[in-house]
Amino acid sequence: MSRRIFLRGLGGACVAAPFLGSIAGRAAKAQPATPPRRLIVMYTHYGCITTRFFPRKSHGPLTAADLQPTTLKHLAPYVDKLLMPRGIRAMNEWTATLARGQGNDPRLQSSASYFTCHPVTPNSDDPFYFASETKFYATPTGPSLDHVIARQLSPDGEPLVMCVGGFRQIGSGAISYSAPMTPYPGLSSPAQVLAKLTGLFTDSPPSPDTYRAIRGKSIIDIVRDDLDTLARFDMSQADRHKLEAWKALLHETVTTVASGQCATSLATALGATQENVDLASLPRSADEDALTRRISDSLDGADLHSNLAVLAAACNATPVIVLKYPPSYVFRGLGLVHDSASLARRLDNSGMQGTCLPGVIDMLLKIDDYHARKFAHLVGQLDSIDEGDGTLLDNCAAVWFQEVSDGLAHNLNNLPIVQVGSAGGHFKTGWAVNVEDGSPDLTAGNSEITCVDGAPDEVDAISQATGTDPSLANAPINKYFCNLMNALGVKAGVDGFPAPGGSAPVTHFGMYDRTEDFIGGGINPPTIHDPGEFTALKASS
């Protein structure tokens, strides 16, 4: 937002326009400023109890009553702004027989390939090989979605990746990659995030131009000095009249270049204050954890991260914000003593076979409910801020992604994805949309065929029996990523892949869009078999 950058873009066009012959005699109507569109991602590990998560209806309008019996009941107040894309598969699924992906690790390759749609390297063709370089430290061969978007749309070319709970992006839990084989660390504490944002609204902003823009001043205020300098040039009387007329026109046509929401008062209202950030960093007792620990009467540690994300969106710090929840986490504040990875396996350890931990389904439902409440909190805060003709939420796509579907099966088909917000009217809302075949009764999976009363109490992750039949719900997630990029304004080159300087809609993303192509770690030619976006998710469909 420096003057030089600004003049190179919109400001330069404004200054040059009076000297275009076609401008003479042209009248212009005032146009309101269009709020920017943002993508806010919440990512959690190990999937969910799918049988309790999905509404019974998989295609059609949703009501609050549809959500009440499910994990998503906390989103009932926002059902009219909710979109559930159903029938989607993520890429690179681990199987014991190498049937649908690489043989590295069921956790590593699902997360590393999730937002990149690239295989990981070095490759392993042995699903039970335990060398650290393939099982823990293999990395994808392409950048992730957040960086692809940010390179085109973010002021500094980077996304805001927040590691909720303070766990840095390393090893098998990483999801954000700035380049091939380059994990992006993200920000691991609320203090780092707040420091990044406060420069936008404190008494010491980065530059006078940035401050005036953030305060909602018109473009003419930002380029006034440059226009005054231009006016001192020796020019014809006709051109001087045009310059003065153009300055007057700017006053009439331009409202603001920012929402005006980015202020200390908003940070205070959200609880995104230095005091709360300091409280979050204090030592914890033995029965506390960083996520569930209370920061105030209305906020816990996870909510503080969410509110910082809301503040970043209101300040338009970047169009893509990621809230990355931690793997292998012990939710002590929920009364749990086993880590989430072990519980997802229905055990008290991270093995793949054994006897069910007593009460494990109820423990997993506690975690699912907690995540749903955190997402509902994020959505509610976005919806509480007016922007344009609606709210901040209306101009966002807030999406809860989960690493897998069922955490025991580690299957990637029938993904539980929830979006709230239309991204400025781009997406259909108030619907569940089965993008694979439009059927209204897609299965909710088989998460409760074991470890419940009346069912076997033996666990077998290798069989993947708790997942969804692999022949169902396989529409490629690449297409949904194309939806999101097009909604935000990302452009593609002539080949359909995102490209800075492109002018076409995005139709291609990643290296592969069939999970079977990942077998071998990239030995197949790069191929997108089903290009384009899901038109059924668009508001016009």
Side-chain angles (χ1 to χ4, degrees):
M1 290 295 294
S2 70
R3 180 183 289 114
R4 179 172 299 179
I5 294 173
F6 194 88
L7 287 176
R8 201 181 312 154
L10 179 59
C14 292
V15 172
F19 304 101
L20 300 176
S22 61
I23 199 69
R26 181 180 298 170
K29 300 293 185 181
Q31 297 292 330
T34 300
R37 298 172 180 179
R38 301 85 152 182
L39 171 62
I40 303 177
V41 167
M42 174 174 149
Y43 183 90
T44 58
H45 289 271
Y46 312 128
C48 60
I49 301 299
T50 59
T51 45
R52 308 286 186 97
F53 185 88
F54 293 113
R56 185 176 298 274
K57 183 189 300 177
S58 62
H59 190 85
L62 291 172
T63 67
D66 292 321
L67 302 184
Q68 284 301 335
T70 76
T71 303
L72 301 177
K73 56 184 176 291
H74 305 289
L75 291 170
Y78 314 104
V79 67
D80 291 340
K81 298 185 179 185
L82 184 147
L83 171 64
M84 286 200 70
R86 295 295 311 277
I88 291 178
R89 168 182 280 283
M91 298 294 109
N92 205 6
E93 181 176 330
W94 183 94
T95 58
T97 58
L98 291 183
R100 291 181 291 279
Q102 293 178 261
N104 288 60
D105 181 78
R107 297 169 185 165
L108 178 145
Q109 65 193 54
S110 58
S111 284
S113 298
Y114 198 102
F115 291 113
T116 64
C117 296
H118 275 253
V120 298
T121 186
N123 172 63
S124 172
D125 284 328
D126 182 354
F128 301 100
Y129 183 57
F130 289 92
S132 60
E133 67 271 15
T134 58
K135 188 171 180 63
F136 301 111
Y137 298 111
T139 51
T141 58
S144 53
L145 178 72
D146 51 333
H147 287 273
V148 171
I149 293 173
R151 283 196 194 114
Q152 288 198 36
L153 304 180
S154 183
D156 61 1
E158 294 188 344
L160 175 58
V161 178
M162 302 167 60
C163 300
V164 181
F167 291 77
R168 297 300 293 270
Q169 266 234 130
I170 57 174
S172 60
I175 61 170
S176 180
Y177 293 84
S178 57
M181 298 169 284
T182 309
Y184 186 72
L187 302 179
S188 61
S189 73
Q192 290 177 314
V193 180
L194 187 62
K196 186 178 181 70
L197 297 178
T198 51
L200 299 176
F201 52 79
T202 61
D203 294 334
S204 302
S207 73
D209 289 348
T210 301
Y211 180 77
R212 287 195 292 268
I214 290 165
R215 298 300 297 176
K217 300 299 182 181
S218 69
I219 290 172
I220 189 68
D221 292 322
I222 298 175
V223 299
R224 182 184 301 279
D225 292 344
D226 304 87
L227 290 174
D228 289 344
T229 299
L230 188 61
R232 290 194 288 270
F233 278 71
D234 185 15
M235 66 181 73
S236 69
Q237 191 64 32
D239 281 346
R240 190 170 299 281
H241 285 317
K242 289 178 183 179
L243 179 59
E244 293 301 318
W246 189 252
K247 289 169 67 176
L249 182 62
L250 281 176
H251 277 299
E252 295 173 4
T253 60
V254 179
T255 54
T256 67
V257 296
S259 68
Q261 297 282 2
C262 186
T264 304
S265 58
L266 177 60
T268 301
L270 290 169
T273 62
Q274 190 63 52
E275 178 183 11
N276 284 343
V277 164
D278 291 342
L279 287 172
S281 65
L282 291 176
R284 297 184 295 276
S285 65
D287 60 350
E288 289 183 319
D289 63 87
L291 269 65
T292 66
R293 177 186 183 178
R294 304 307 304 180
I295 304 300
S296 69
D297 290 341
S298 59
L299 299 176
D300 66 11
D303 293 330
L304 179 59
H305 281 86
S306 293
N307 286 16
L308 285 164
V310 173
L311 181 62
C315 291
N316 199 26
T318 175
V320 56
I321 301 165
V322 178
L323 289 159
K324 198 265 186 195
Y325 278 64
S328 302
Y329 193 75
V330 180
F331 288 86
R332 293 186 177 86
L334 301 182
L336 304 179
V337 296
H338 302 290
D339 70 89
S340 54
S342 298
L343 294 178
R345 293 284 176 86
R346 318 300 203 258
L347 303 171
D348 60 1
N349 60 77
S350 59
M352 301 192 76
Q353 295 175 318
T355 302
C356 298
L357 177 69
V360 70
I361 297 296
D362 288 337
M363 297 177 197
L364 289 169
L365 288 172
K366 279 187 177 182
I367 296 174
D368 291 351
D369 183 76
Y370 179 76
H371 286 150
R373 285 188 284 118
K374 297 305 100 177
F375 186 61
H377 172 87
L378 170 67
V379 166
Q381 294 301 303
L382 290 167
D383 203 38
S384 70
I385 299 174
D386 292 332
E387 186 177 70
D389 294 330
T391 68
L392 181 57
L393 176 64
D394 296 321
N395 296 309
C396 293
V399 189
W400 177 11
F401 289 104
Q402 301 194 46
E403 172 197 7
V404 297
S405 297
D406 177 89
L408 173 58
H410 260 85
N411 64 299
L412 301 183
N413 61 323
N414 200 19
L415 275 181
I417 299 174
V418 185
Q419 175 180 327
V420 187
S422 67
H426 187 89
F427 286 98
K428 176 183 294 185
T429 55
W431 272 66
V433 179
N434 186 345
V435 297
E436 184 172 58
D437 60 13
S439 66
D441 55 356
L442 177 64
T443 177
N446 302 294
S447 289
E448 293 181 271
I449 65 170
T450 187
C451 301
V452 297
D453 290 343
D457 65 352
E458 291 301 310
V459 167
D460 180 10
I462 295 174
S463 72
Q464 296 189 295
T466 55
T468 299
D469 185 324
S471 68
L472 302 174
N474 290 302
I477 198 170
N478 313 56
K479 293 174 73 70
Y480 181 47
F481 292 159
C482 290
N483 281 100
L484 293 171
M485 285 185 281
N486 288 328
L488 267 65
V490 174
K491 297 300 181 182
V494 294
D495 59 0
F497 285 91
S503 58
V506 178
T507 59
H508 293 63
F509 180 77
M511 184 171 179
Y512 301 126
D513 65 346
R514 288 185 184 169
T515 192
E516 294 83 4
D517 286 344
F518 286 78
I519 299 170
I523 59 176
N524 297 317
T527 306
I528 300 298
H529 301 271
D530 187 9
E533 57 186 3
F534 292 123
T535 57
L537 298 180
K538 299 178 71 172
S540 57
S541 64

